[in-house]
Amino acid sequence: MTAVTAGQLRERGNALFQAGDHGAALAAYTRALSLCQAEPERAVLHRNRAACYLKLEDYAKAEADASKAIEADGRDMKALFRRSQALQKLGRLDQAVSDLQRCVSLEPKNKAFQEALRALGSSMHEKMKTMSCTDSKVEQMFQILLDPQEKDVDKKQKAAQNLIVLAREEAGAEKIFQSDGVRLLTQLLDTAKADLMLAALRTLVGLCSGHRSRVGYTRAQLSLGSSRLSAVLGVEHEQVSLAACNLLHVMFDSLKEGMQKDFRGKEDAVVLDSSKEQKVLIKDLLELLSLEGASAHGRDNALNLLIKVVPRKSPKDINNSMSLWVIDQGLKKILEVGSTVCGAPGSLPVTENSRMSASVLLSKLYDDLKCDAERENFHHLCEDYVRSWFEGQELAGKLRAIQTVSCLLQGPSEAGNRVLELEGIMDSILSLCASVREAHQLVAVEALIHAADKAKRASFITANGVSLLKEIYKHSERDSIRIRALVGLCKLGSAGGTDFSMKQFAEGSTMKLAKQCRKWLCNEAIDAGTRRWAVEGLAYLTFDADVKEEFVEDKAAMQAMFQLTKSEDRSVLYAVASTLVNCTNSYNHEEPDPQMLELAKYAKQHIPEQHPKDKPDFVKRRVRKLLTAGVVSALACVVKSENPALTNSCRELISRVFLALVAEAEDRGGVVAQGGGKALIPLSLEGTEVGQTKAAQALAKITITSNPEMAFPGERIYEVVRPLVSLLHLQRSGLENFEGLMALTNLAGISERLRQKILKERAVPMIEGYMFEEHELIRLAATECMCNMAMSKEVQELFLDEGSDRLKLMVLYSGEEDEKLRRAASGTLAMLTALHPPVCKRIPQVTVHWLEILQALLLSPSAELQHRGAVVVMNMMAAAREVAEQLIASEMLEILSVLAKDKDKPRVAQAAQESLERAVAYGLIEPSPRQQ
């Protein structure tokens, strides 16, 4: 029975292939392979699949299947010929020639084989000629670039550009490499001329992309004598440093996930231990962090690269050895950057972002630790470093120690708490707050502000902090100090969060602080690094709804805040995102259970109260004002910029804001027009799980009410599919499931390519699962989505799978009381019976109620349901005589006769008339006088 079934599938595949439906033919052959055990028959199926893959332009799979057929029978000329075609497309011409020569030797008189061999020989000759020409061009380009006497700038620029373009193609990259290109490119790096260095670095990117062995050889060449690459990374020229950073990133990616291509040439280029190669590169980066001669942006680039390549990408990856190695070898070097006091004698050159980048890296390393022993080691190393600067040191050393505490409190806060509790640290912070030197006072006040977050761990900050900060705020003559003291007051004053009943300050004090923050924020005479502290203050004060209302009325303050996101100091991003989350009320808040409220009142427990201005109408108005002020453009720019300050937590906050911005359907078009749709895609693919889900839900809302092809033009529409599918996972809420299904329904109705993308993301089983959902709206959405997916051949085949109840469910749903569900299910049946005739024969077998359900559709008062039912019957009548007999033998004949005369419903009448004509053609009924 199995052999017959496999044979039938093979015949079906042959018919489909002849008809030009290569995808369906491939599916049939694949199913036949799963049922077939006999080796000769399997070889034929593999050979046939190779033909399908050739037509579908998947040449690697075509070669693999043809090879399996040849393993079974080395004289299989069809398989040999198909493999030669695949090899030719893959660029492996020598192997293609070998297969063709074998074909000719087996069948010398075959003209097709002879002609193919002749054409391939000609193609190889052309390739050799081109390669020979390329050899001389590569040599020429290097001569022009390395010739100190060559003064023609345009000529040099053209040679550099040609080299970069050539390296982007695998054949060109290999040619440069075989021409001793790496050594010549290192000579270009040694010229210290920015344009030549950029050309060399960009060419090396092409050489190293996806090729482990070339990376190993390149790394070895660049490390001769001293690490040339890390030295280039630390140069003053910003573009050169960035290009070196990009090259290192490509090298890391190639070592981690490279294609491990075969390498012919230099034996010492074979990489045996990727981990060792990565450690050499990372060690150079760590050395650069504490190198005094390195530039500030070079140091930032090194930190950014470490953030990207060291921690695990996913907790599912159990190997965190790289993070442990970096902590052991370089934690103190990272802390060197974090502890730098700007302007102090002998301090490292840093930018506004350097300390924040160090905090982010420390936080990611700490989060990558798996057990208490690893975390304890991290704590000890941090404590030892702080003690080394604090104990027995002069004032400069104590400042470094306090700066380290600030860095840790902004990153791995648990480690920050531990060092904060070291003897003498807090006393020094408090005493230095009163220092007469601005630089010292800045360091101390910032540390106190960061420590204010940890008030529960250090209760005396709450007791003494407010009075101390008030004193500084009132009496300091420096705005840079006063603004920081104000932020500390804001933090302590917002301890009650959104709870209206818990106010830390006297009535009106919070509003005064907010007004001063807005005033400083709008004062362009103050530098951006200081003004960002005003946003920090608002991030805390906007827990108060009165502050939110005043802030969104102050358009100048909003514009100033958005402008700050574009400044070089990106540490402001989290504060901006926090402020916007507060203004849009997009933080997590659950409605309390009424019964629990009563119990709390009875027990005299504190009950949180919502501010009257945090009700939905107020939130909606605030969102509109933010949209008018240009919040979408500002956030889109933030997402577009690659910066360590854009942490996963920050991304989550931005996703929450976007979800609030698209809550109302009429606002979604404006959000898309200002770049919100484009920004949501990366937010939905990277970050915390909550952040990704919020961004995906925002994408779903846009896709439901907008034209997806306009909202996500070009290739962008295909990037939306994966986030939408993620909303179908069981751990998502019912609303997220529903919106994901609705959005996918819209996409599935657009094109076959989109349906294939949805299939590839394995969404169909999840869609089917929701068709059994108890909630009627989710069940309806899943059925509508399946209706659109049924336009794909692969989905149509699923309805015929043995043991599957898919078709039965659709038939039964067509008889449900819910009219919308009946409409979706009957629409799916109409689609299936029209596109895939074998379904027509299966319908009578799935349930005894099939005739009753079809008759009910035809007798429905809804013209739409009648039309769908009439189309299903028409398709079933056309599919097979035996099915038509069953239909005509029932009351269906009488119903069709009545409907065929209904002039008020022409579409229904036409379908009924065609069904009757088919019955006449089968000889099941006599033609009416009119038909005669």
Side-chain angles (χ1 to χ4, degrees):
M1 187 173 174
T2 300
V4 173
T5 306
Q8 287 175 339
L9 285 167
R10 192 178 86 188
E11 291 303 319
R12 184 192 295 177
N14 292 346
L16 289 164
F17 189 87
Q18 291 297 325
D21 194 345
H22 306 117
L26 177 64
Y29 292 139
T30 303
R31 285 183 66 201
L33 266 172
S34 67
L35 299 172
C36 180
Q37 300 299 324
E39 200 57 45
E41 290 177 24
R42 288 181 65 81
V44 172
L45 289 166
H46 278 300
R47 185 178 71 198
N48 290 358
R49 285 209 321 176
C52 293
Y53 281 128
L54 283 170
K55 291 290 186 183
L56 295 168
E57 299 182 5
D58 192 339
Y59 302 116
K61 288 182 179 176
E63 189 239 340
D65 262 321
S67 296
K68 287 176 183 175
I70 294 163
E71 283 173 18
D73 179 6
R75 299 174 64 83
D76 188 335
M77 286 180 294
K78 285 186 179 179
L80 283 164
F81 186 64
R82 285 167 190 170
R83 187 167 75 174
S84 75
Q85 289 177 298
L87 289 166
Q88 189 173 349
K89 292 291 185 181
L90 291 168
R92 289 148 63 184
L93 302 186
D94 51 342
Q95 291 170 279
V97 166
S98 177
D99 279 349
L100 273 176
Q101 286 172 338
R102 177 77 173 144
C103 289
V104 171
S105 68
L106 290 168
E107 200 171 306
K109 295 182 180 179
N110 190 312
K111 290 184 179 179
F113 293 161
Q114 291 173 356
E115 184 57 37
L117 186 60
R118 194 177 302 112
L120 189 54
S122 175
S123 176
M124 283 190 74
H125 177 71
E126 284 297 318
K127 186 178 178 183
M128 293 299 291
K129 190 175 175 183
T130 304
M131 286 177 72
S132 174
C133 182
T134 305
D135 282 352
S136 60
K137 281 184 178 177
V138 169
E139 193 176 331
Q140 233 176 4
M141 285 184 267
F142 275 120
Q143 280 179 355
I144 293 167
L145 291 170
L146 290 168
D147 185 0
Q149 304 303 318
E150 181 60 68
K151 302 299 181 187
D152 191 334
V153 177
D154 289 341
K155 196 174 179 181
K156 281 201 169 191
Q157 284 181 344
K158 191 175 180 181
Q161 192 58 40
N162 287 342
L163 207 58
I164 295 165
V165 171
L166 187 64
R168 287 175 187 158
E169 297 293 329
E170 171 54 28
E174 184 64 15
K175 186 49 58 185
I176 292 171
F177 186 74
Q178 295 291 359
S179 303
D180 202 18
V182 176
R183 185 183 63 79
L184 295 170
L185 289 167
T186 55
Q187 287 182 26
L188 288 178
L189 289 176
D190 292 339
T191 61
K193 293 179 180 177
D195 54 344
L196 296 182
M197 292 174 79
L198 283 169
L201 291 166
R202 288 167 182 167
T203 306
L204 284 167
V205 165
L207 263 63
C208 294
S209 294
H211 206 305
R212 291 176 64 195
S213 50
R214 286 206 290 257
V215 168
Y217 182 76
T218 302
R219 202 276 309 154
Q221 287 293 308
L222 291 172
S223 297
L224 290 175
S226 61
S227 180
R228 191 183 272 106
L229 195 52
S230 60
V232 173
L233 185 65
V235 298
E236 286 294 338
H237 195 286
E238 201 163 338
Q239 277 189 308
V240 172
S241 177
L242 202 58
C245 180
N246 184 40
L247 172 57
L248 278 164
H249 199 182
V250 166
M251 292 171 81
F252 276 112
D253 285 347
S254 299
L255 289 170
K256 278 187 174 181
E257 302 153 14
M259 292 178 275
Q260 301 184 36
K261 298 175 184 174
D262 290 336
F263 180 81
R264 299 177 183 87
K266 301 179 185 296
E267 291 180 9
D268 59 344
V270 178
V271 179
L272 299 175
D273 187 353
S274 295
S275 175
K276 186 178 178 182
E277 291 291 328
Q278 288 177 57
K279 284 179 178 178
V280 171
L281 292 173
I282 289 171
K283 191 173 182 181
D284 287 343
L285 290 175
L286 292 171
E287 292 294 335
L288 178 69
L289 294 182
S290 55
L291 192 68
E292 289 184 12
S295 64
H297 48 256
R299 193 168 278 105
D300 278 2
N301 287 333
L303 285 167
N304 296 349
L305 195 52
L306 288 166
I307 289 168
K308 290 174 183 174
V309 302
V310 174
R312 292 172 294 168
K313 297 291 182 189
S314 166
K316 293 176 184 176
D317 179 6
I318 59 170
N319 183 11
N320 69 338
S321 59
M322 193 60 76
S323 289
L324 294 175
W325 184 82
V326 169
I327 290 168
D328 184 52
Q329 298 291 317
L331 183 65
K332 291 186 177 180
K333 291 181 173 65
I334 301 165
L335 291 172
E336 283 286 306
V337 181
S339 67
T340 298
V341 178
C342 292
S347 62
L348 294 171
V350 291
T351 68
E352 297 91 339
N353 298 306
S354 300
R355 287 199 300 276
M356 174 57 75
S357 297
S359 293
V360 171
L361 177 55
L362 289 166
S363 182
K364 284 186 172 289
L365 290 172
Y366 188 80
D367 291 342
D368 211 28
L369 303 178
K370 296 191 295 185
C371 64
D372 289 343
E374 292 174 359
R375 283 185 277 273
E376 199 59 36
N377 177 56
F378 188 96
H379 290 311
H380 283 315
L381 289 170
C382 291
E383 288 168 10
D384 289 346
Y385 182 82
V386 170
R387 284 196 190 97
S388 71
W389 280 111
F390 190 78
E391 293 176 0
Q393 296 287 336
E394 299 295 327
L395 182 59
K398 286 182 166 50
L399 284 170
R400 290 287 296 268
I402 293 170
Q403 192 78 301
T404 308
V405 174
S406 285
C407 177
L408 289 167
L409 286 169
Q410 290 178 88
S413 56
E414 285 185 36
N417 279 330
R418 287 274 292 261
V419 294
L420 189 64
E421 291 168 4
L422 292 176
E423 187 179 350
I425 294 290
M426 186 51 69
D427 292 335
S428 294
I429 292 172
L430 293 172
S431 63
L432 280 169
C433 282
S435 173
V436 293
R437 294 190 62 181
E438 183 179 5
H440 298 172
Q441 199 174 14
L442 279 174
V443 172
V445 172
E446 284 186 23
L448 187 63
I449 292 167
H450 298 310
D453 281 341
K454 329 299 171 196
K456 290 180 181 178
R457 296 285 303 273
S459 56
F460 68 95
I461 297 178
T462 309
N464 305 313
V466 174
S467 57
L468 176 63
L469 290 168
K470 277 184 179 178
E471 192 68 23
I472 296 170
Y473 176 61
K474 286 178 181 177
H475 298 106
S476 178
E477 295 177 2
R478 306 182 188 99
D479 278 347
S480 59
I481 301 296
R482 292 184 67 220
I483 198 168
R484 285 163 171 80
L486 182 142
V487 172
L489 289 170
C490 294
K491 282 191 176 186
L492 295 171
S494 62
T498 57
D499 186 353
F500 181 52
S501 63
M502 286 186 69
K503 294 296 172 188
Q504 302 293 312
F505 294 149
E507 189 70 33
S509 295
T510 303
M511 298 297 289
K512 286 178 184 176
L513 290 173
K515 187 176 180 180
Q516 185 60 53
C517 279
R518 297 202 312 273
K519 182 182 174 183
W520 270 323
L521 178 59
C522 296
N523 187 353
E524 292 185 5
I526 301 173
D527 66 277
T530 302
R531 285 163 62 211
R532 69 128 174 138
W533 285 95
V535 186
E536 291 271 358
L538 288 168
Y540 290 95
L541 293 174
T542 47
F543 280 122
D544 187 310
D546 289 318
V547 175
K548 300 178 200 182
E549 288 293 316
E550 276 204 2
F551 178 67
V552 297
E553 293 294 339
D554 190 342
K555 195 169 183 181
M558 287 193 288
Q559 296 284 358
M561 184 175 79
F562 298 154
Q563 198 62 37
L564 272 183
T565 62
K566 299 172 185 175
S567 68
E568 287 188 14
D569 185 0
R570 293 305 176 91
S571 54
V572 74
L573 298 184
Y574 191 85
V576 171
S578 298
T579 304
L580 292 172
V581 164
N582 292 340
C583 289
T584 56
N585 281 34
S586 47
Y587 38 70
N588 286 337
H589 50 88
E590 295 179 7
E591 291 297 324
D593 186 331
Q595 289 184 333
M596 296 303 293
L597 279 177
E598 289 301 318
L599 286 171
K601 286 177 185 176
Y602 180 76
K604 296 182 179 179
Q605 295 291 318
H606 172 71
I607 300 169
E609 293 178 24
Q610 185 187 41
H611 197 292
K613 292 181 181 177
D614 270 336
K615 290 181 178 176
D617 287 345
F618 283 93
V619 175
K620 195 183 294 184
R621 280 198 294 272
R622 288 201 294 266
V623 166
R624 289 275 162 81
K625 284 173 182 174
L626 285 167
L627 286 167
T628 305
V631 65
V632 176
S633 300
L635 290 179
C637 289
V638 167
V639 174
K640 190 178 177 183
S641 66
E642 282 293 324
N643 194 280
L646 193 64
T647 60
N648 288 343
S649 302
C650 189
R651 296 171 79 93
E652 180 184 319
L653 295 178
I654 294 171
S655 297
R656 287 177 180 276
V657 175
F658 267 122
L659 184 56
L661 296 176
V662 299
E664 299 298 319
E666 58 266 31
D667 296 330
R668 293 169 194 168
V671 170
V672 170
Q674 294 175 57
K678 184 180 179 181
L680 279 165
I681 294 171
L683 289 172
S684 66
L685 296 172
E686 187 181 341
T688 66
E689 188 175 352
V690 172
Q692 289 182 60
T693 304
K694 299 286 182 190
Q697 194 179 359
L699 284 171
K701 288 179 184 291
I702 291 169
T703 310
I704 291 166
T705 56
S706 310
N707 179 348
E709 290 176 289
M710 292 181 69
F712 309 106
E715 293 297 304
R716 201 175 299 156
I717 194 169
Y718 302 100
E719 297 177 50
V720 176
V721 173
R722 182 172 294 173
L724 295 181
V725 172
S726 73
L727 293 175
L728 304 188
H729 294 154
L730 291 174
Q731 63 267 37
R732 304 287 177 258
S733 69
L735 177 61
E736 289 162 355
N737 297 154
F738 174 71
E739 290 182 332
L741 288 164
M742 292 280 285
L744 286 169
T745 301
N746 277 3
L747 292 184
I750 292 173
S751 71
E752 179 59 23
R753 188 178 166 197
L754 273 167
R755 289 190 287 276
Q756 288 296 323
K757 177 69 175 170
I758 294 169
L759 277 165
K760 190 178 178 183
E761 295 295 336
R762 300 176 183 174
V764 170
M766 290 186 276
I767 297 168
E768 285 178 343
Y770 287 113
M771 288 173 66
F772 294 93
E773 178 67 42
E774 287 184 18
H775 196 291
E776 58 185 28
L777 287 177
I778 294 177
R779 186 169 66 240
L780 172 63
T783 308
E784 288 177 340
C785 190
M786 187 57 74
C787 178
N788 283 354
M789 288 301 296
M791 287 187 273
S792 282
K793 282 280 184 187
E794 290 90 333
V795 178
Q796 294 160 21
E797 289 287 344
L798 292 174
F799 281 88
L800 293 177
D801 279 354
E802 291 297 331
S804 164
D805 286 333
R806 295 182 182 95
L807 188 57
K808 179 179 180 179
L809 184 66
M810 282 298 175
V811 175
L812 292 175
Y813 274 1
S814 298
E816 283 283 312
E817 290 182 8
D818 183 345
E819 186 175 322
K820 288 182 179 178
L821 183 61
R822 288 179 77 193
R823 200 158 52 215
S826 57
T828 307
L829 285 179
M831 187 96 64
L832 286 168
T833 52
L835 297 174
H836 204 53
V839 169
C840 299
K841 296 180 184 178
R842 183 68 69 83
I843 288 176
Q845 301 168 20
V846 295
T847 173
V848 294
H849 302 292
W850 69 280
L851 260 175
E852 180 188 330
I853 290 167
L854 289 178
Q855 288 169 6
L857 284 172
L858 291 172
L859 295 171
S860 169
S862 164
E864 197 171 348
L865 284 175
Q866 273 191 315
H867 178 245
R868 293 179 186 208
V871 169
V872 174
V873 171
M874 178 184 72
N875 293 334
M876 291 178 71
M877 292 283 291
R881 191 179 190 280
E882 60 268 26
V883 177
E885 282 178 350
Q886 289 177 273
L887 288 165
I888 294 301
S890 69
E891 296 174 7
M892 191 66 74
L893 175 59
E894 187 180 343
I895 297 169
L896 289 171
S897 300
V898 173
L899 291 176
K901 298 172 186 174
D902 192 341
K903 294 180 181 177
D904 294 331
K905 299 170 184 173
R907 294 194 303 163
V908 176
Q910 184 184 350
Q913 185 61 41
E914 287 186 31
S915 296
L916 291 171
E917 288 171 3
R918 180 66 65 174
V920 171
Y922 286 141
L924 300 175
I925 60 173
E926 293 294 325
S928 66
R930 184 168 62 84
Q931 286 174 315
Q932 286 178 331

